[in-house]
Amino acid sequence: QSGAFGGGCMSGGGNDIQWCFSQVKGAVDDDVAEADIISTVEFNHSGELLATGDKGGRVVIFQQEQENKIQSHSRGEYNVYSTFQSHEPEFDYLKSLEIEEKINKIRWLPQKNAAQFLLSTNDKTIKLWKISERDKRPEGYNLKEEDGRYRDPTTVTTLRVPVFRPMDLMVEASPRRIFANAHTYHINSISINSDYETYLSADDLRINLWHLEITDRSFNIVDIKPANMEELTEVITAAEFHPNSCNTFVYSSSKGTIRLCDMRASALCDRHSKLFEEPEDPSNRSFFSEIISSISDVKFSHSGRYMMTRDYLSVKIWDLNMENRPVETYQVHEYLRSKLCSLYENDCIFDKFECCWNGSDSVVMTGSYNNFFRMFDRNTKRDITLEASRENNKPRTVLKPRKVCASGKRKKDEISVDSLDFNKKILHTAWHPKENIIAVATTNNLYIFQDKVN
Amino acid sequence: MLSKGLKRKREEEEEKESLAVDALWLDPGHAAVAQAPPAAASSSLFDLSVLKLHHSLQQGEPDLRHLVLVVNTLRRIQASMAPTAALPPVPSPPAAPSMADNLLASSDAALSASMASLLEDLSHIEGLSQVPQPLADEGPPGRSIGGAAPSLGALDLLGPATGCLLDDGLEGLFEDIDTSMYDNELWAPASEGLKTGPEDGPGKEEAPELDEAELDYLMDVLVGTQALERPPGPGR
């Protein structure tokens, strides 16, 4: 199912897609400032906005320019729309520990009015941010001068009605809610319910349900903490609400299982409705079997019929109606299977890759090492490996597919496994909800690729 | 900390070993397994895993996922290295004061304690290469062979310095410390406990330098934290 494909085309909904470089954001130099390491990437529901979070606790939002009708060779570019400091480092005095400001996840709320809202979270605290535009300001106050100084009331002889006059666009981000003190362990996921009123947050051992309006209370809906911590053998790695059923959510574990829960069944969803687990392949058994089965990401398809999981070596698509095995499995970098010991030694085996669906659920994407990322077309069963690199940074340059040579004679343009750079990892990728535009994060740069528009 | 001999061996054989080892783990049925290397390979992987565990526990707030995965891997390796030795069941903490139990239950130090006890088990199993000696600075993994390991978790919470035990017990810990500051009259009689603590046999399992009032206070704070953790909700 995973033959590497040498050409530059892949099918997406019947049309051949050729991926082209569009933009790259971030510092050019190789010396990466720790704070600039990108930790999450997310398009909003319309795709007009693209948010990134970094290790320094900052959120940067890019906005797509309206399509330029004259230059119709490409879709609008993404430019910085708003930058703000979402989280600051904190100190937990009781435990004498610093709480990192790194943004673990950003999730957008659907737009209801002129303002945009998003949830951002670090290890312990979730915040609801309102991003609003101001492009007008009132002028002509009676008691104030234009510069803000108060006028002497005795000099006022006539009254006028202040009017709104245009001003340079200002984008303001303000924190509207702070959801704190509900997680003992590190938050790994947040997910907004399809009711758009509630959301869940998951840490290593617990999942809480919040109402967006209420910050001083949350309901605990999953708790896998054993009474005796000595018995702890499994943690929660990701959680997500079903896109359509507001009572359904899933959570994945470090043992490679996914549990689907129905909140109508009981208040505390410790008993799953469904348990998705693929039996271990005995021929591939090793000391590292559990580590590589640990699920690093779980995402429902837009349709809600399928879910995708990412473990260390593969991407699996599950049909929600079939628990005993995935319906599709795609090998991301099977050539690493023989290197697991080394990857254990340098801790790369613990890297958490994310995955994403395209808008029509026909293609899935995930990252790998050496700044490679992979796409799998579910219909044609073709896959492609591309690289996010500044070397290909001419706009509308079609990206050349990459191939890794696992063993034997290396062909021209192939890269051998041993020359892969394991420090260049693509953990975070996102796909525009409607168009073939993707955002791929390397350590500290954000790449935007688009399909070639003729 | 790995002894020098062990480190040299790893450096020399690392290349060969990791490739060979990788192949071995691909196919446990392979003929090569029947020959010598598996024990050596498992042993070096065991050491590596213990090192990782140490490193993880030394973090202020260990990455729980990393910790759990390393521990589970360690258990697998251990099981394969000594398949006939009956693994001692993970012991429940010895009769530590119930207060310590409550503290354990509500804090992350509980995991540290459980890991500490796990490692203590491992160190008792015959035929293993030396468990790397813990670094002598602060941190939960401080342990002695046969020390009161599980209650170290509580001790760690109450006083990090007491979390480290050396082979010769607490006396060794205080030998090098300049205790002249404790001679100061301003210090309450409780500090006398600090000086004389090491000689107090029975008092070893409890934190010598905190009195009941302070333990009560800490309990209150932690119970308060626990209440925050578990806000009342339906079914709770």
Side-chain angles (χ1 to χ4, degrees), chain B residues 78-106:
Chain B
Q78 182 189 40
S80 78
M81 284 170 78
T84 53
L87 285 176
V90 181
S92 48
S98 61
M99 197 177 289
D101 279 341
N102 290 333
L103 291 171
L104 282 176
S106 62

Short mmCIF file of all heavy atoms in Angstrom, two decimals, chain B residues 78-106:
data_model
loop_
_atom_site.label_atom_id
_atom_site.label_comp_id
_atom_site.label_asym_id
_atom_site.label_seq_id
_atom_site.Cartn_x
_atom_site.Cartn_y
_atom_site.Cartn_z
N GLN B 78 13.58 -6.76 31.35
CA GLN B 78 13.85 -7.51 32.56
C GLN B 78 13.25 -8.90 32.47
O GLN B 78 13.88 -9.90 32.81
CB GLN B 78 13.23 -6.75 33.73
CG GLN B 78 13.46 -7.37 35.07
CD GLN B 78 12.63 -6.67 36.12
OE1 GLN B 78 11.50 -6.30 35.89
NE2 GLN B 78 13.22 -6.48 37.26
N ALA B 79 12.04 -8.96 31.97
CA ALA B 79 11.36 -10.26 31.84
C ALA B 79 12.12 -11.17 30.88
O ALA B 79 12.19 -12.38 31.09
CB ALA B 79 9.94 -10.05 31.33
N SER B 80 12.70 -10.58 29.86
CA SER B 80 13.41 -11.43 28.91
C SER B 80 14.78 -11.82 29.42
O SER B 80 15.32 -12.86 29.07
CB SER B 80 13.57 -10.70 27.58
OG SER B 80 14.62 -9.77 27.66
N MET B 81 15.35 -11.01 30.30
CA MET B 81 16.69 -11.32 30.80
C MET B 81 16.66 -12.40 31.85
O MET B 81 17.56 -13.20 31.97
CB MET B 81 17.32 -10.06 31.40
CG MET B 81 17.81 -9.09 30.36
SD MET B 81 18.25 -7.53 31.11
CE MET B 81 19.83 -7.97 31.79
N ALA B 82 15.63 -12.37 32.67
CA ALA B 82 15.56 -13.35 33.76
C ALA B 82 14.20 -14.00 33.74
O ALA B 82 13.40 -13.80 34.63
CB ALA B 82 15.82 -12.67 35.10
N PRO B 83 13.94 -14.75 32.71
CA PRO B 83 12.59 -15.30 32.56
C PRO B 83 12.20 -16.28 33.64
O PRO B 83 11.05 -16.45 33.95
CB PRO B 83 12.61 -15.99 31.19
CG PRO B 83 14.06 -16.27 30.95
CD PRO B 83 14.84 -15.22 31.66
N THR B 84 13.21 -16.94 34.26
CA THR B 84 12.85 -17.93 35.26
C THR B 84 12.76 -17.33 36.65
O THR B 84 12.08 -17.84 37.52
CB THR B 84 13.88 -19.07 35.32
OG1 THR B 84 15.17 -18.47 35.49
CG2 THR B 84 13.88 -19.86 34.02
N ALA B 85 13.48 -16.22 36.85
CA ALA B 85 13.40 -15.60 38.18
C ALA B 85 12.01 -15.05 38.39
O ALA B 85 11.49 -14.36 37.55
CB ALA B 85 14.44 -14.50 38.31
N ALA B 86 11.46 -15.39 39.50
CA ALA B 86 10.12 -14.86 39.79
C ALA B 86 10.25 -13.40 40.14
O ALA B 86 10.99 -13.04 41.04
CB ALA B 86 9.49 -15.64 40.94
N LEU B 87 9.61 -12.57 39.43
CA LEU B 87 9.66 -11.15 39.72
C LEU B 87 8.95 -10.90 41.03
O LEU B 87 7.82 -11.33 41.19
CB LEU B 87 8.99 -10.34 38.62
CG LEU B 87 9.76 -10.20 37.31
CD1 LEU B 87 8.90 -9.46 36.31
CD2 LEU B 87 11.06 -9.45 37.53
N PRO B 88 9.62 -10.21 41.93
CA PRO B 88 8.89 -9.91 43.17
C PRO B 88 7.74 -8.99 42.83
O PRO B 88 7.87 -8.12 41.99
CB PRO B 88 9.92 -9.18 44.03
CG PRO B 88 10.99 -8.77 43.11
CD PRO B 88 10.95 -9.68 41.92
N PRO B 89 6.62 -9.24 43.41
CA PRO B 89 5.49 -8.36 43.12
C PRO B 89 5.81 -6.95 43.59
O PRO B 89 6.55 -6.78 44.54
CB PRO B 89 4.33 -8.94 43.92
CG PRO B 89 4.98 -9.76 44.99
CD PRO B 89 6.28 -10.22 44.44
N VAL B 90 5.31 -6.01 42.90
CA VAL B 90 5.56 -4.62 43.29
C VAL B 90 5.03 -4.43 44.70
O VAL B 90 3.84 -4.61 44.94
CB VAL B 90 4.86 -3.65 42.32
CG1 VAL B 90 5.14 -2.22 42.72
CG2 VAL B 90 5.35 -3.91 40.90
N PRO B 91 5.88 -4.10 45.62
CA PRO B 91 5.42 -4.09 47.02
C PRO B 91 4.56 -2.89 47.31
O PRO B 91 4.71 -1.84 46.72
CB PRO B 91 6.73 -4.00 47.81
CG PRO B 91 7.66 -3.29 46.90
CD PRO B 91 7.26 -3.65 45.49
N SER B 92 3.63 -3.09 48.21
CA SER B 92 2.90 -1.92 48.70
C SER B 92 3.86 -1.21 49.65
O SER B 92 4.74 -1.85 50.23
CB SER B 92 1.64 -2.35 49.43
OG SER B 92 1.95 -3.38 50.34
N PRO B 93 3.72 0.06 49.80
CA PRO B 93 4.65 0.78 50.66
C PRO B 93 4.61 0.22 52.08
O PRO B 93 3.55 -0.12 52.56
CB PRO B 93 4.11 2.22 50.66
CG PRO B 93 3.28 2.31 49.44
CD PRO B 93 2.74 0.94 49.19
N PRO B 94 5.74 0.10 52.71
CA PRO B 94 5.74 -0.45 54.08
C PRO B 94 4.99 0.49 54.99
O PRO B 94 4.62 1.58 54.60
CB PRO B 94 7.22 -0.50 54.45
CG PRO B 94 7.89 0.44 53.53
CD PRO B 94 7.07 0.47 52.28
N ALA B 95 4.78 0.08 56.22
CA ALA B 95 3.94 0.85 57.14
C ALA B 95 4.47 2.25 57.33
O ALA B 95 5.15 2.56 58.28
CB ALA B 95 3.86 0.12 58.48
N ALA B 96 4.20 3.07 56.35
CA ALA B 96 4.57 4.48 56.48
C ALA B 96 3.42 5.17 57.17
O ALA B 96 2.31 4.68 57.15
CB ALA B 96 4.82 5.06 55.09
N PRO B 97 3.67 6.29 57.74
CA PRO B 97 2.57 6.98 58.44
C PRO B 97 1.42 7.25 57.47
O PRO B 97 1.65 7.57 56.33
CB PRO B 97 3.18 8.30 58.90
CG PRO B 97 4.62 8.20 58.67
CD PRO B 97 4.92 7.01 57.85
N SER B 98 0.22 7.14 57.94
CA SER B 98 -0.93 7.31 57.04
C SER B 98 -0.93 8.69 56.41
O SER B 98 -1.39 8.90 55.32
CB SER B 98 -2.23 7.06 57.79
OG SER B 98 -2.33 8.00 58.84
N MET B 99 -0.38 9.63 57.12
CA MET B 99 -0.30 10.98 56.60
C MET B 99 0.52 10.98 55.31
O MET B 99 0.19 11.60 54.34
CB MET B 99 0.36 11.88 57.64
CG MET B 99 0.16 13.34 57.41
SD MET B 99 0.89 14.28 58.74
CE MET B 99 -0.23 13.91 60.07
N ALA B 100 1.63 10.24 55.35
CA ALA B 100 2.48 10.16 54.18
C ALA B 100 1.72 9.52 53.03
O ALA B 100 1.88 9.89 51.88
CB ALA B 100 3.75 9.39 54.50
N ASP B 101 0.89 8.53 53.37
CA ASP B 101 0.09 7.89 52.33
C ASP B 101 -0.83 8.88 51.65
O ASP B 101 -0.98 8.89 50.44
CB ASP B 101 -0.78 6.77 52.93
CG ASP B 101 0.04 5.51 53.12
OD1 ASP B 101 1.09 5.41 52.48
OD2 ASP B 101 -0.39 4.65 53.89
N ASN B 102 -1.44 9.73 52.47
CA ASN B 102 -2.34 10.73 51.88
C ASN B 102 -1.57 11.70 51.00
O ASN B 102 -2.01 12.08 49.94
CB ASN B 102 -3.05 11.51 52.99
CG ASN B 102 -4.07 10.64 53.70
OD1 ASN B 102 -4.59 9.70 53.11
ND2 ASN B 102 -4.32 10.94 54.95
N LEU B 103 -0.40 12.07 51.48
CA LEU B 103 0.41 12.97 50.68
C LEU B 103 0.77 12.31 49.36
O LEU B 103 0.72 12.90 48.32
CB LEU B 103 1.69 13.34 51.43
CG LEU B 103 1.49 14.23 52.67
CD1 LEU B 103 2.77 14.33 53.45
CD2 LEU B 103 1.00 15.60 52.26
N LEU B 104 1.16 11.04 49.45
CA LEU B 104 1.51 10.29 48.26
C LEU B 104 0.37 10.25 47.27
O LEU B 104 0.53 10.44 46.09
CB LEU B 104 1.91 8.86 48.61
CG LEU B 104 3.32 8.67 49.18
CD1 LEU B 104 3.51 7.23 49.57
CD2 LEU B 104 4.35 9.08 48.15
N ALA B 105 -0.80 9.97 47.82
CA ALA B 105 -1.95 9.79 46.95
C ALA B 105 -2.27 11.05 46.18
O ALA B 105 -2.81 11.01 45.10
CB ALA B 105 -3.15 9.35 47.78
N SER B 106 -1.97 12.18 46.75
CA SER B 106 -2.41 13.40 46.11
C SER B 106 -1.31 14.16 45.41
O SER B 106 -1.51 15.26 44.95
CB SER B 106 -3.08 14.30 47.13
OG SER B 106 -2.14 14.65 48.13
#
